Every structure is written in C-alpha cells, then in structure tokens.
Amino acid sequence: MSNVETPRPIRGTQDIFGPEAEAFAFVVETFERVRKLYRFRRVEMPVFEKTEVFSRSLGETTDVVSKEMYSFDDRGGESLTLRPEFTAGIARAYLTDGWQQYAPLKVATHGPLFRYERPQKGRYRQFHQLDAEIIGAAEPQADVELLAMADQLLKELGIADGVTLQLNTLGDADSRDSWRVALVAYFQSVRADLSEDSQERLERNPLRILDSKDPRDKAFVADAPKIDDFLTDQAQDFFGQVTSGLEAAGVAWTRLPALVRGLDYYRHTAFEFVTDRLGAQGTVLGGGRYDGLIESLGGVHTPAAGWAAGIERLAMLVGERRQSVLEQAIIPVGEEAESIAAQLLAKTRRWGTSAELFNRGNLKKRMQRAADAGAFWAVIIGEDELAKGVVTIRNMHSGGQFTIPLDDMLNRVEMDDGRFVIRDDPNNPVGWTVFEPAESQ
RNA sequence: GCGAAUGUAGCUCAGUUGGUUAGAGCGCCGGUUUGUGGUACCGGAGGUCGCGGGUUCGGAUCCCGUCAUUCGCCCCA
C-alpha cells in the first residue's frame, strides 16, 4: 500500500456504473431513436463558450448566470464558461456557422452541463441533458412537434404514466410585458406580506413569485393578474393552435397559468413534464419558445423553440436496468482449449453474437459465473470434448445439452435466430442443419 | 446561499450510561471425489469507525471544526 492520499471526487459529480449506467444508456439510446423518427439532426457542441454567450442570452440577473456558472479566465485572459445549458450555444452556432441556410433547423444533442448548485438527489454540478431545438420556425406546429416528440420519448422510456405535461403561454413580447407590469404593481401593493424570497423576486424576476411554495405567497398568487387577460389576439390565437395541435397529436396536457420559465428568453409556449416521484426535483423535461434569444446574441429576429430533459432524472424513473443479454459463454478447460476458445470468441462476435470468456476457477465456478452473467448458451471445450473432437453446448435456461463437431464449429456453424445451424446449401434454407438441445439433465 | 439529518467491511446495518484484539447478514475468495449453474456445511480475505483537532487514565461513542451524502428552501432538467 502506498501512503499517497487518494484524491476525492469533486462534489456534485457522479461516477455512474452498473444498472444505473445501463439505465442512463437506455435513456440516451431511446432519445437517439426517437430523434431520428422526428428527423432532428444530430449536432455536437463545445462544452465551453465565451461567458457572454450565456450572460447575454439567459439574462444577467438569473440565478444561473449570477451565481451558478463555472466561469474562468483562460491563459489568454478571456472569460470562458462551462455550458450551464445547451440552447445558448446552439443559438450562437446558428449565427456563427451559417446554419440559417437550413432554417427551419431541427437539431438534437445530449451531453454534460455544469451548474454550481447545492447537490441533491437528481441535482448535480455536472449533470446531463437531452436537448431538442427548432430554430427559424414561427409556426405553432413547431411547438407541437417538440411536445409530441417529448411525449413519445417518455412513452418509449415507459415512464409516461407517472409524468404529466403542464402547459402555459407567456404570450408574445407585448403580452408578456404588460402582464409583467401588472404583476409587479399587484405584488408591490402587498409587498410587506410576501415571503422574504418573493420580495427579492419582485426585484429580480417577479414572474417566479407565481410558483413560490411559501404559504404566505400562495394566497396572493391566487388573486394575481392572469396572463389570459393580457394576451393579444395573435398570442391567443397562437396558443389556441398549439393546444389544438396537441389534441390532434394525442398528447395529454394540463393548463397551468402559473407556470413560468426561469430564463429571460422565453415567449409564448412554456411547458414542463413533471412527476411527484423525484421529490423536489420534479421537473423531468422542460422548455418552450424563445423568439427573443437569437436577437440577444446579435442576430436578426429568429423564432425558435426547444426543450431539454435531465438524463439522470429520466434514468431514475426508468429504474435499474440489466446489462444486455450474453448469448454465449465460452468455457475452455486446458491450454489447447484456450486457443480454440480464442478462435471461437472472435468468430462468434463477428457473427454479431455477444460472447464472453470464462476461464477462471474450476468448472463449477465457470458455470456459475456464466449463469450469473445471464448467458443463454454455454460452449464448453474441455479435455473430454477435445478427445472426441467436439464441443459441448448447453442451454443455460433449459439445461439441455448437445455436441457439435469441433471442425464444424470452427468452420461451418453459423448463428441463426439464436440457434446453431449449418447451412448445407446457401441457396436452400431447407437444407439447414439445426442443432437442438437434448432433454434437460 | 439558508435550515436539518446522516457518515462503522464491497452492500445493508448492530455496537448498550466512554472500558481489552470493533460485530452480524448478504456479497467476495477457497474447499467438501480437479467436468456442470442450486442448497447445505467448513475455512478465508476485507475496517486508520469520513477526515482533523479537543476533553479523558481510556473515544466508534462526548465537544469543536471540516469534508461528503441525503431531505427541505432556493434554483432548475
């Protein structure tokens, strides 16, 4: 043992392993599949950007920008920031990389994000999100498509029944501004009776008073001005088209007039998929329309919408998952068998069949490990087999066994639908020899 | 950033009012005729009691600090 002290992992980071890592991978794989169904283009984005990319788009006074960013000066003295979200970076690329030519552009990505927050279950300093954006589309159908995609993702993950879609509209810029003015005036009039947090919010982000959990605020929130009274005709119409589009797509939702977004760039549609199964971290996927964002980065007015979903939170809802099945456990006994096993392993994997070598301990141990690994077939190559010029194949589920001549095993056998076969005539499947296990023993 | 709880073996936890070499279950490794998954039995490895100070003849146990995790607030995916 060395006397060197082992460095500890960084607070709020995770080393994900085993069934949880499988659940994480399942979420990402499902997202990739759904994303292709909806024809979103895959993009890869840098993990860090100039700090202004985030400070200008998210809003200087938001918590994310003012106290949660991992910002640092690089060796050239430039302020850089580890991305706390995807949207700003994608909007930046839309402007700097000429992606306007592809508008309306549908893109998707996933990866790590960084926020300096107090860690909790489902909340980490390095966390991971799925992300989908449509840039350059003013139509409400874009919002609908994003929501339909999110809804299908949750269904394919098998977690849709515990999750509800909460939907709201923040109106266009005019609606939002007049509503905000009315809200500020209203809360100003009862300021002294609000919670300390909400008095603070009144200065920085008054909309967020609406989803305060403090009982002192809730009475006033109920009587606060409603966005519906401030919607312009166009905003009203836009929201109507979104909701009727959701009906057509068969996406269930509930209206939540108090739902607002924390970041400044949102307009019109705002939504969250929430669950009560993750404690305080109930939002599993959230997003909306951000028509103002591209302008804040110096581009021309560009309508856009998108969402992001926490992979860790989705993975927790999915639950633990097993590693994919092991189709063949290759079990050699003895030196000669080892070299045959090496050939079989290479060949089997080239068939596209998963295989793993078990060559530690006595045969009993090897069988046990193969069973623990969930092997379907055990391919046993021992001294008895080699003496007869065969290999023994055991069905680990039924316990039935049979042998295949070693020469055939190495040169002629193929896998077909999980079975061992020899194709006598490639053009005549009827001529196949299929090996079947004997009675269980 | 605020409030609270927890931290003993790989995992889940015991450990009495401070008192010799810190325990259990599960898991892991090996064995019970050196060729077959289970059960049973036998044996074994594995812990600076999160870390650092303090009080004490003596600290896993009491006090302080610190780190980490968890729960709530805040924020957000």
Side-chain angles (χ1 to χ4, degrees), chain A residues 176-396:
Chain A
R176 190 175 193 249
D177 289 346
S178 50
W179 180 43
R180 183 187 169 108
V181 166
L183 275 176
V184 170
Y186 169 77
F187 284 122
Q188 205 64 258
S189 70
V190 295
R191 181 192 176 98
D193 295 321
L194 295 175
S195 66
E196 296 77 20
D197 281 334
S198 286
Q199 293 184 28
E200 170 77 8
R201 291 187 184 103
L202 197 44
E203 309 298 328
R204 302 171 75 90
N205 199 347
L207 299 198
R208 293 217 69 93
I209 299 175
L210 293 176
D211 55 13
S212 168
K213 289 169 189 162
D214 195 301
R216 286 172 290 175
D217 298 330
K218 287 194 170 174
F220 299 110
V221 167
D223 296 329
K226 302 284 189 290
I227 178 65
D228 288 1
D229 298 329
F230 297 87
L231 290 178
T232 61
D233 289 347
Q234 297 93 312
Q236 186 76 60
D237 182 54
F238 188 95
F239 191 56
Q241 289 192 57
V242 171
T243 55
S244 61
L246 291 176
E247 306 288 349
V251 176
W253 54 278
T254 42
R255 177 76 196 278
L256 194 72
L259 176 71
V260 296
R261 306 262 72 211
L263 309 178
D264 283 355
Y265 51 61
Y266 285 103
R267 300 283 183 278
H268 287 293
T269 319
F271 54 86
E272 289 182 5
F273 287 80
V274 300
T275 177
D276 56 8
R277 289 186 288 179
L278 294 179
Q281 276 63 245
T283 301
V284 111
L285 184 153
R289 178 160 281 278
Y290 51 91
D291 291 349
L293 173 58
I294 304 271
E295 272 177 290
S296 72
L297 290 174
V300 299
H301 176 80
T302 305
W307 55 253
I311 299 179
E312 288 87 351
R313 294 181 186 180
L314 292 172
M316 278 190 277
L317 292 177
V318 162
E320 299 190 340
R321 297 207 116 220
R322 292 179 58 105
Q323 213 178 342
S324 60
V325 283
L326 171 59
E327 288 162 287
Q328 288 187 25
I330 311 284
I331 303 178
V333 183
E335 217 169 283
E336 187 184 351
E338 293 267 1
S339 97
I340 292 169
Q343 294 177 61
L344 276 181
L345 271 176
K347 180 178 174 181
T348 304
R349 289 163 172 166
R350 279 198 289 268
W351 288 332
T353 300
S354 61
E356 202 171 356
L357 182 68
F358 293 86
N359 61 348
R360 297 185 59 180
N362 58 31
L363 185 61
K364 178 175 178 171
K365 281 291 171 198
R366 298 177 191 208
M367 294 301 290
Q368 195 173 110
R369 288 205 180 89
D372 290 345
F376 188 85
W377 297 110
V379 178
I380 303 168
I381 316 158
E383 289 173 14
D384 294 355
E385 282 80 8
L386 291 182
K388 295 180 199 158
V390 300
V391 298
T392 296
I393 312 253
R394 178 180 180 85
N395 181 316
M396 297 294 278

Side-chain angles (χ1 to χ4, degrees), chain A residues 1-18:
Chain A
M1 288 290 279
S2 74
N3 54 7
V4 176
E5 194 177 339
T6 304
R8 310 313 308 166
I10 294 173
R11 181 165 160 85
T13 62
Q14 320 171 74
D15 304 308
I16 310 172
F17 176 79

Side-chain angles (χ1 to χ4, degrees), chain A residues 51-70:
Chain A
T51 297
E52 61 191 303
V53 169
F54 305 110
S55 60
R56 277 163 52 182
S57 58
L58 307 195
E60 296 277 5
T61 63
T62 57
D63 279 24
V64 170
V65 170
S66 61
K67 47 192 179 194
E68 294 176 0
M69 293 204 305
Y70 278 93

Side-chain angles (χ1 to χ4, degrees), chain A residues 30-47:
Chain A
T30 305
F31 174 67
E32 273 294 292
R33 197 176 66 243
V34 171
R35 165 229 128 193
K36 288 173 190 165
L37 294 175
Y38 284 77
R39 299 285 292 170
F40 279 64
R41 298 181 178 210
R42 181 62 201 252
V43 291
E44 302 295 335
M45 302 303 300
V47 166

